[in-house]
Amino acid sequence: MKAGIDIGSVMTKCVIVEGNRVIAKTISRSGPMPEKIAENILQQALKNAGIEFSQLEKIVSTGYGRHIFSLNHKTVTEVSAAAKASFYLSGEKPCLVIDVGGQDTKTIEVDRRGEVVDFLMNDKCAAGTGRFLEMMATVLETDIYGLGKLALSATKPVVINSTCSVFAESEVVSLLAHNERKENIAAGLLNAIAARIATMMSHFHKDVPVVFCGGGANIPGLKESIEKISGRQIHILENPQFVVAFGAAIS
Amino acid sequence: MTQKKFLDNFRDEIQKGFVSDRISPNNIAELQKYKRKSEIPSMENFYEAIENFENKKTFELEKPSVGYFCNIVPEEIILACDLHPVRLCCEDQVCAQAGEEIAPGDICCVIKSICGKFYGRLYENLNLVIIPGTCDPKTKLAELISPLKEIYFLDPGRDSDYLENAAIWESRYTELFDFLKKRFHKNPGRTQLISACHKTNKRTEIFRKIYQLRTDYPDSINVFDYYIMIYASFFMEIELWNDFAEKVYSQALEKKKTQNKPRILLVGTPVIFPNFKIIDVLEQSGLAMATDIQCTSFGRFFNPVEIDEDTESGIIRALALKNIAGSICPCLLNLEKMANLIIDTVNQYNLDGVIYYNLRLCQVFEIQTAILRQILKQRNIPFISIKTDLGKEDTGQLKTRLEAFREMLESHRK
Ligand code: SF4
Ligand code: SF4
């Protein structure tokens, strides 16, 4: 049995596998002491799986905090882990992976051997990431899932001109001040992110299936918004938030 | 174009308005950090030279010194006039913060750093500054620092085709030569030009040996030492640099060891001490920078001056051929040539991938990123572009990207 731990900037996830079958998964906020959290959720996962620590042949950590976890045997980056898992979960076929996490948005091209051939990640700023949506959700007095739900009942999505968190925030505040419906603002925000992701996608081969993972895949309406803008069909992988941890476990 | 008077009438107002008077960036701790990583005893010479330079913050030389930017300013002409050339290209966060006062907002950190250095009075001992019109911000920079220094503006245009431009370049270089002679009361001619070319050619000869050695054995001279040597050449006396570099080379020959890390070509914005973030991350990510295409290192040193006709104008044309026609600066080099240079370098040295490094807000580098990515992708050359600035906050994120790049290159090798 093997464990994969994905220590992300917002959430830490743990998956235990037997072969390639998931037997336990746990999740928690990363918080200020991510290593401690990682240990806790590993313990919790072991308990859920009904196994002992000593029964683990391998622990692989990934994510932003991959190097701080001292119990690991190996680290892989979230790019390789997402690629590995997505390839396996899409029936070992080439694919284009979209991974929207707390701090990064990535698009990864995986070839027919399951190897990464190219990837793109947002740079330093939070534009286009889960963090951006979190900040905007706060302005709309909800969370990212609430933001997604609001967007679903938009009648006329507004156009948000910037994915820079600072500019977008003042844009949203001013829209609210002008009595714009929150639903339309939420849809505008999703579209802004989706447009950025669609641009990233355009740098890769157009003829492979697109799969979606990371916490961002759980945001209602984001997938549809990307589909609409990119003109491509997107398949959300099962338990998207755990895909990277699963990828680490099977690495 | 000869000497220009810019903001002369506003000198006092501008200086009074600048609060960060006399800044003192302290990069010695950083320098020591890299010195500890060095395995070549004679690198000490370069570290010491930089320490002295950083400590004094000025250059106290017997000769008048002339500051300049970019490769298109011919060092040989400055040397021929018995002046001391100092390359001023700068990436320093403390200086950049001070420079915010002069060049705030969406301006590249190179321009901000330079403004900070000038207005923070770190360049008081320079007698003259030659500024080329390579990119738009540089053109404006000439004006911005003109209240503090005498400026010579050199504009050879932005086309690197030799046949089309040889006559213009020759006249620009000749004007500069005449100006320097007059300004510093010197009377050099052909002999002094030839002797200056010998010095830079000697440097090329040594650099090429080092470059070749590093492409074969990147660890023989670690990446930090390599860029420390490059930085020291900005202000060191050329013959002394040649002498020290020769020693480093001979000691590095004993350090040849094969290594297994993916071999990288680093292309883009020059890496200038103290801004070593990209090479720090590159090293921590398990990658080996085997070679580079950057203006301050490869671009500046790789090609010799090739004199076909040893008259004064023949030499000046040879200098233009090397410095302008041979420029690898994106302001001058067209995309096709840049792409071919990258492809040829990757093939020739059997490199695993290309890191295209770009400082935020430098448009000339950024604008060609997507096209280069496409061209290289068609040729199955792994490519990653990194855009960052002088801050350290994104180190973790950069590390993820470069580690992922390393994992990708390793899987390709299998
Ligand atoms: S890249 Fe071009 S403009 Fe920038 S420092 Fe080098 S030569 Fe000058
Ligand atoms: S070439 Fe780029 S980094 Fe250098 S001065 Fe011009 S804009 Fe700034």
Side-chain angles (χ1 to χ4, degrees), chain B residues 349-364:
Chain B
Y349 298 114
N350 197 13
L351 303 172
D352 295 292
V354 176
I355 298 179
Y356 187 75
Y357 166 59
N358 180 11
L359 278 179
R360 192 183 294 274
L361 298 171
C362 173
Q363 291 162 346
V364 283

Side-chain angles (χ1 to χ4, degrees), chain A residues 67 77 80 104 118 123-124, chain B residues 373 389 393 397 403 407:
Chain A
H67 292 294
T77 62
S80 304
D104 301 310
D118 196 5
D123 59 37
K124 187 166 176 171
Chain B
R373 158 183 280 279
D389 53 27
E393 319 80 68
Q397 207 216 28
E403 263 183 49
E407 288 168 352

Side-chain angles (χ1 to χ4, degrees), chain A residues 64 66-67 75-80 103-104 109 115-124 203-204, chain B residues 360 370 373-374 377 383-384 387 389 391 393-394 396-397 399-401 403-405 407-408 411-412:
Chain A
Y64 189 68
R66 64 193 176 283
H67 292 294
T75 64
V76 289
T77 62
E78 41 285 39
V79 174
S80 304
Q103 182 167 267
D104 301 310
E109 187 175 336
E115 276 164 18
V116 177
V117 276
D118 196 5
F119 64 93
L120 278 176
M121 251 167 97
N122 63 291
D123 59 37
K124 187 166 176 171
H203 290 281
F204 300 95
Chain B
R360 192 183 294 274
R373 158 183 280 279
Q374 284 309 329
K377 199 167 175 179
F383 175 92
I384 186 169
K387 185 167 71 175
D389 53 27
E393 319 80 68
D394 61 343
Q397 207 216 28
K399 214 164 151 226
T400 299
R401 295 173 68 184
E403 263 183 49
F405 193 57
E407 288 168 352
M408 180 177 111
S411 76
H412 289 193

Side-chain angles (χ1 to χ4, degrees), chain B residues 72 134 155-169 173 317 319-338 341:
Chain B
I72 62 162
T134 22
D155 188 8
R158 297 210 190 145
D159 175 7
S160 64
D161 188 287
Y162 182 72
L163 293 178
E164 289 274 323
N165 297 287
I168 304 176
W169 296 340
Y173 275 13
R317 277 197 302 276
L319 287 176
L321 189 63
K322 177 195 124 190
N323 293 320
I324 313 179
S327 170
I328 56 155
C329 170
C331 306
L332 286 140
L333 188 69
N334 69 35
L335 250 170
E336 185 171 339
K337 286 188 190 154
M338 178 54 114
L341 180 60

